[in-house]
Amino acid sequence: MSGAGRVGVGVIGAGNISTQYLTNLTAFPDVEVRFVADLDLDRAEFQAQAFGVRGFGTVDELLADPEIEIVVNLTIPKVHAEVALRALEAGKHVWTEKPIALDRESGRRLLEEARARGLRVAGAPDTFLGAGIQTARRLVESGAIGAPMTALTLMQQPGPESWHPNPDFLFQEGGGPLFDVGPYYVTALIQLFGPVKRVAAVASRSKTVRTIGSGPRAGETFEVTVPTHVTTVFEFEGGQTSQSIFSFDSKIKRTLFEVTGVDGALEANDPNMFVGDLVLHTDAPEPEVIPTEGEKAARGTGVVELARAIRAGVPERASGEQAFHALDIMVSTIEAADRGEWVPVESTFTPTPPLPEDWSPAVATL
Ligand SMILES: NC(=O)c1ccc[n+]([C@@H]2O[C@H](COP(=O)([O-])OP(=O)(O)OC[C@H]3O[C@@H](n4cnc5c(N)ncnc54)[C@H](O)[C@@H]3O)[C@@H](O)[C@H]2O)c1
């Protein structure tokens, strides 16, 4: 490994989301995508050629490239931890899609392995690094709503089986609205309020079987094994509380992310997006629309932030510790719903500062 200059990246998983990552990572100058790997070699080759990436093939071939410093893990949730572990064992830093693992034990193992090897394991989402949530965080920290007290969040939609060509994994262990979309909301909440102390929840499932709506498998059915409607209450270490609904059971598509403080309230953008309108409500006669300041780029932003943090020897913002805390909150949510009682969240994380307003992954810094 060179240890200086731009950072070599290898992408594992050439499926649906790899197009967004490859579009951005091949344009961001601080990283160089050197290889695309997949179990499906045709898919790896197709994506590599579509984005002008020289190397494609197996995971072993990717891991053997000494110029690859960061492995970007875009596989399905149930293999995130095993793929990330293999990358760490090969001496690579890891950026992994969410959730970082499916259970606490394998999540902890990743953090320990990274620590022992002096490597990083950072985790999606990186949407909180976008202009929307970064502006919201700067506003809240500047006192615009007074001391933040509560949050109300809503994510409801019919579910992704209509548009995703292989949606099974989104309704099985590691999926469902909580594990699939929840990480965006949970991460934005802990960015604003800090670590969660305890969780209460109820959960339900409207259908046990769903039908694929697009692609070559359209019309095929698959089993739903996780809750598809989850309602939670989080209590944070700082004393704040939040209420959230995560649902794939509603024909109404709606998202909401609002934070209320002693002196005002802020409607922020959907945390699954990098940008969106912010509306500030105070004693002023009319709510104020706040322009978002900062980076409007999309997925891959966190990989660049990680690459720069590695070179600078400072902590990355989308840390593995934060991703693990988000996982712990979600696992605790399911336990709380199963047991019908509050579940304490044992893990914590060290919050990192917001990005400078002029930070951009699209400029060359390395
Ligand atoms: N699709 C989206 O809109 C979206 C958005 C944000 C995040 N994500 C996340 O990105 C990840 C991937 O989602 P997707 O929609 O691209 O899934 P996908 O099923 O379309 O693609 C996953 C790819 O990983 C490959 N793969 C699976 N196991 C592997 C292994 N052990 N080694 C190498 N390759 C392996 C598969 O062959 C497949 O090509 C998931 O964690 C998902 O939560 C997806």
Side-chain angles (χ1 to χ4, degrees):
M1 287 187 197
S2 61
R6 61 190 192 148
V7 177
V9 165
V11 171
I12 302 182
N16 195 282
I17 201 60
S18 68
T19 296
Q20 274 189 43
Y21 269 94
L22 286 164
T23 301
N24 295 325
L25 291 178
T26 54
F28 294 155
D30 279 351
V31 292
E32 183 200 1
V33 184
R34 297 181 56 85
F35 203 98
V36 180
D38 200 294
L39 290 178
D40 182 332
L41 297 177
D42 290 342
R43 216 177 272 173
E45 179 175 358
F46 182 87
Q47 286 296 70
Q49 288 184 345
F51 291 95
V53 177
R54 261 176 301 150
F56 51 84
T58 66
V59 172
D60 283 335
E61 286 167 336
L62 182 152
L63 296 177
D65 180 346
E67 296 297 319
I68 290 176
E69 292 181 64
I70 299 177
V71 164
V72 174
N73 180 7
L74 308 182
T75 59
I76 53 174
K78 77 173 175 200
V79 297
H80 281 173
E82 95 186 38
V83 169
L85 193 61
R86 278 182 70 192
L88 290 171
E89 286 167 352
K92 314 292 188 195
H93 303 287
V94 173
W95 170 271
T96 185
E97 252 305 330
K98 42 75 189 172
I100 186 169
L102 296 196
D103 57 81
R104 295 187 187 99
E105 196 189 336
S106 36
R108 258 189 226 109
R109 168 95 204 273
L110 283 182
L111 299 194
E112 280 160 16
E113 193 69 28
R115 205 173 294 126
R117 291 174 179 272
L119 295 167
R120 320 274 184 118
V121 52
D126 56 2
T127 40
F128 78 92
L129 297 174
I133 297 299
Q134 289 293 312
T135 305
R137 205 181 142 186
R138 285 192 288 262
L139 263 180
V140 169
E141 288 178 12
S142 73
I145 59 168
M149 301 291 292
T150 60
L152 179 62
T153 87
L154 183 58
M155 187 293 297
Q156 59 180 54
Q157 47 146 302
E161 76 273 27
S162 59
W163 60 267
H164 198 295
N166 291 299
D168 325 39
F169 78 88
L170 296 167
F171 292 87
Q172 291 160 7
E173 198 191 358
L178 179 65
F179 280 79
D180 182 44
V181 193
Y184 301 103
Y185 289 76
V186 171
T187 304
L189 284 169
I190 62 180
Q191 276 283 311
L192 288 162
F193 288 167
V196 168
K197 188 168 79 178
R198 62 177 188 151
V199 172
V202 286
S204 55
R205 181 175 49 153
S206 65
K207 299 177 200 159
T208 53
V209 170
R210 293 205 182 208
T211 307
I212 300 175
S214 71
R217 297 173 60 205
E220 247 183 68
T221 57
F222 62 90
E223 218 187 326
V224 179
T225 63
V226 292
T228 44
H229 186 96
V230 180
T231 306
T232 71
V233 177
F234 300 156
E235 185 183 353
F236 294 77
E237 282 177 14
Q240 308 92 335
T241 56
S242 67
Q243 289 166 272
S244 300
I245 289 177
F246 304 102
S247 184
F248 285 163
D249 280 352
S250 176
K251 299 289 181 212
I252 302 172
K253 284 189 184 172
R254 182 160 49 194
T255 63
L256 177 77
F257 190 91
E258 66 183 45
V259 187
T260 298
V262 175
D263 300 320
L266 179 67
E267 291 175 71
N269 58 292
D270 174 356
N272 194 353
M273 302 291 154
F274 282 74
V275 285
D277 287 339
L278 302 186
V279 184
L280 180 63
H281 300 255
T282 58
D283 290 335
E286 293 295 329
E288 185 187 354
V289 177
I290 310 277
T292 53
E293 288 147 359
E295 186 44 51
K296 297 182 171 52
R299 287 187 171 82
T301 296
V303 179
V304 174
E305 206 275 337
L306 170 66
R308 291 178 186 170
I310 290 168
R311 286 286 181 267
V314 299
E316 69 282 0
R317 285 178 169 75
S319 69
E321 199 193 23
Q322 173 177 280
F324 179 76
H325 186 56
L327 170 71
D328 195 7
I329 293 166
M330 296 188 297
V331 171
S332 301
T333 297
I334 295 299
E335 290 172 350
D338 285 347
R339 293 191 218 143
E341 60 187 33
W342 283 94
V343 171
V345 178
E346 307 290 347
S347 65
T348 186
F349 78 106
T350 309
T352 47
L355 286 168
E357 279 172 27
D358 60 355
W359 190 94
S360 169
V363 297
T365 71
L366 298 178

